[in-house]
Amino acid sequence: MNSTEEQVLIGAAVVIPNLAGLHARPASMLAAQAKKFASTIRIVRNADAVNAKSIVAIMGLGSQCGDSINVQAIGADAVEAIHVLTALLASGCGESQTDQSTEPHHVDSPVTRGIATAPHQIAGVSASSGLAVGRIVQFRHAAMEVPEHGGTPALERLRFNAALLEAGVQIDTLMVEIGDTAESKILKAHQELLGDPDLLKLAAEGIQQRKSAGFAWRAAFLQYASRLEALEGNHNALLRERGNDIRDVGRRVLGQLVEGSHPSFELPEGAILIASELTPSDTASFDRSKLLGFCTTTGGPTSHVAILAKSFGIPALCSIDESALNLAEGTLVVLDGTGGLLNGQPTIADIEQAQARIVELNAKNQQDRLNANALALTRDGHRIEVVANVRNAQETMEGVANGADGVGLLRSEFLFDDRDSAPTEEEQATVYAAVANALGPDRPLVVRTLDVGGDKPLSYLPIPKEENPFLGLRGVRVSLDQPAFFRTQLRAILRCAGLAKLHIMFPMIATLEELRQAKSILAEERSTSNAADVQVGMMIEVPSAAVLAEQFAREADFFSIGTNDLTQYTLAMDRGHPKLAQKADGLHPAVLKMIALTCDGAHKHGKWVGVCGGLASDALAIPVLIGLGVVELSVSVPAVPAVKSLIQRLSILECEMLAQEVIQMGTATEVRARLTAFASTKEE
Ligand code: PEP
Ligand code: MG
């Protein structure tokens, strides 16, 4: 290629490898690189050509995995620009898994939708359990009055630049305050949006046409947000989220331009916040010590707000009835995150009862923690192992401090996230050894091999676009498809045998052939390692595995039931779908029957069964699981003390009778009603 300043140069076609197309993260990396060149650069797909220096323009292209695109440039450094950007596009623009900032894949709690039994009760879906008495704070994104006309274009430009600067400072300050969290990554993307040339150009054009800076800016960011939200494609939820990011950052700048607006929001003490939605900027700016609970009218139990509430350890409801938006500011309410209800007009007795319950719950928490090192023995002397679901050594140490008997699920995929190339054997072995050392030689460690694919892309392990990612290359299927990758992981895991009681388990096994193939690769790697005493098991997440559990049990040392996936595959309900949230219930009798089949099949061959899905942490479900024959519960780290304490109040006999009764029922509602009645007899 020869470059002249007048000639448009065209790069070779590249097939987009990113599973979610060029969305926020790859788009921002591409734009950042493009900005280093003086040339005018466009990304071209068929008839569409967009500015390569603009994140919103690249995202707006709506490109998908497998699309063919190329880079075009004109200018002095066009040749180099095309070379660098074409290579970047072909390599996936450094995309990594954490871009999928909603994490439907890793939620530990099953779904409860409250049932309002009185007019003042407002039902929602439980997003985080717990109880709180507090005062309503209605959080609205105030509809700002934005005058159409302002001063001269020169003056409006000055105001606009000052507003951009101030918004940037605010975001910087927030990022420092919240440290290195998922939210801080989102805020970083917001920072980049503030410098997006296409957005700024559109706003500048508006100002030039004698609109006020606020009016021009609002028109620009709303146009881009709606364009993203209107895109068709496989990743609509993701694009909607990016649309929200643009609105979020847009409002922040607008707050600077509109008189009398107060972008910073002071929470009063003891607040229970009601909002239609909460953006990352909103939640990052709240004073957490004043916040007792959240309710949002949108979102599912895996939404941003739900994940956040769990990490704060406060009750929250999502998809709450819209009538919650009408509750008067300052109203004293009772929020029951566990039961999925907001009592908007509690009587004095209701409040006293809730307050007494909160005192009890706090005391019980403390007591459970004190007793958490005791074994979880039922009243009639049967031991249930209570182990933890963890992602790394830090969580393992917290689990042990909370009384966990070991680790029942190490979600190894977290080692593979947020990076541009796969971790080496050495890197992986270091992490597995740290987890194993945190446990010591007498505690079990169950390492699950890589569980990604389909809905969870890894940039360095491209999987072609799929119509139904949950039914595609996912879990062990990815490992079998990429044996070299799989072997590296197995070698790394085997290196920690002996540091803890090592168990290796394969996710999402659907057929015996898959189990055999995975086992035979493992056997080959074991023959060259000196790892002794490794138990090899599988997850039961697919109905075929539960139905044929007896056949699988001949060839697996143990089963661990992933109730999150088993529920979605048994009921054919996407686990991340907000509209199905309340129906995709792990306590549905069909799911319980799958668990019963699994236990019966395992026991015929003397194998043990654990549960590592969200149901294991659910107090209602635990008696049934134990009654069906489950002997290991792998639960979220904070839940360990309470789960142990509950087991100590149960007897195997009563659990078995209860289990046999509920698996005869026809609906999840009936099961829940019966289990709630049973649980009330077990309260301390
Ligand atoms: C499950 O499916 O229940 C499980 C434990 O796996 P994950 O939630 O990681 O898919
Ligand atoms: Mg799973």
Side-chain angles (χ1 to χ4, degrees), residues 95-110:
E95 189 198 16
S96 69
Q97 194 175 347
T98 46
D99 276 335
Q100 321 299 312
S101 63
T102 54
E103 297 225 347
H105 209 112
H106 299 289
V107 169
D108 265 356
S109 68

Side-chain angles (χ1 to χ4, degrees), residues 83 85 155 275 282 300 359 368 404 408 424 496-497 506 517 625 641 657:
H83 178 73
L85 299 180
L155 181 66
D282 301 332
V359 172
D368 289 348
T424 62
C496 78
F506 307 117
Q517 255 181 293
L625 298 177
M657 282 170 23

Side-chain angles (χ1 to χ4, degrees), residues 107-114 124-132 272 291-296 298-320 334-342 361 617 636 638:
V107 169
D108 265 356
S109 68
V111 171
T112 303
R113 180 162 190 104
V125 171
S126 168
S128 176
S129 56
L131 191 63
I272 292 186
L291 192 60
L292 296 183
F294 291 102
C295 301
T296 55
T298 52
T302 58
S303 57
H304 177 77
V305 70
I307 292 165
L308 206 80
K310 278 195 190 105
S311 75
F312 291 3
I314 56 175
L317 306 182
C318 55
S319 297
I320 193 171
V334 177
L335 171 60
D336 177 1
T338 316
L341 284 176
L342 178 73
L361 286 174
S617 308
S636 56

Side-chain angles (χ1 to χ4, degrees), residues 625-643:
L625 298 177
I626 293 178
L628 291 174
V630 169
V631 293
E632 182 234 46
L633 295 172
S634 194
V635 306
S636 56
V637 168
V640 171
V643 170

Side-chain angles (χ1 to χ4, degrees), residues 198-219:
D198 276 22
L199 254 184
L200 298 183
K201 184 163 167 258
L202 199 59
E205 282 166 8
I207 293 174
Q208 200 52 37
Q209 288 157 15
R210 307 200 76 82
K211 304 290 181 203
S212 74
F215 194 89
W217 169 246
R218 188 178 60 180

Side-chain angles (χ1 to χ4, degrees), residues 567-626:
T567 304
Q568 82 163 342
Y569 292 128
T570 301
L571 298 176
M573 291 181 190
D574 182 340
R575 62 194 265 183
H577 197 303
K579 290 214 168 138
L580 299 176
Q582 65 259 41
K583 290 190 189 155
D585 190 339
L587 285 173
H588 193 285
V591 181
L592 297 180
K593 278 231 163 151
M594 291 288 170
I595 298 173
L597 279 172
T598 305
C599 292
D600 292 348
H603 296 160
K604 289 207 172 106
H605 297 281
K607 306 295 167 65
W608 62 267
V609 180
V611 173
C612 62
L615 225 48
S617 308
D618 179 359
L620 282 190
I622 288 169
V624 183
L625 298 177
I626 293 178

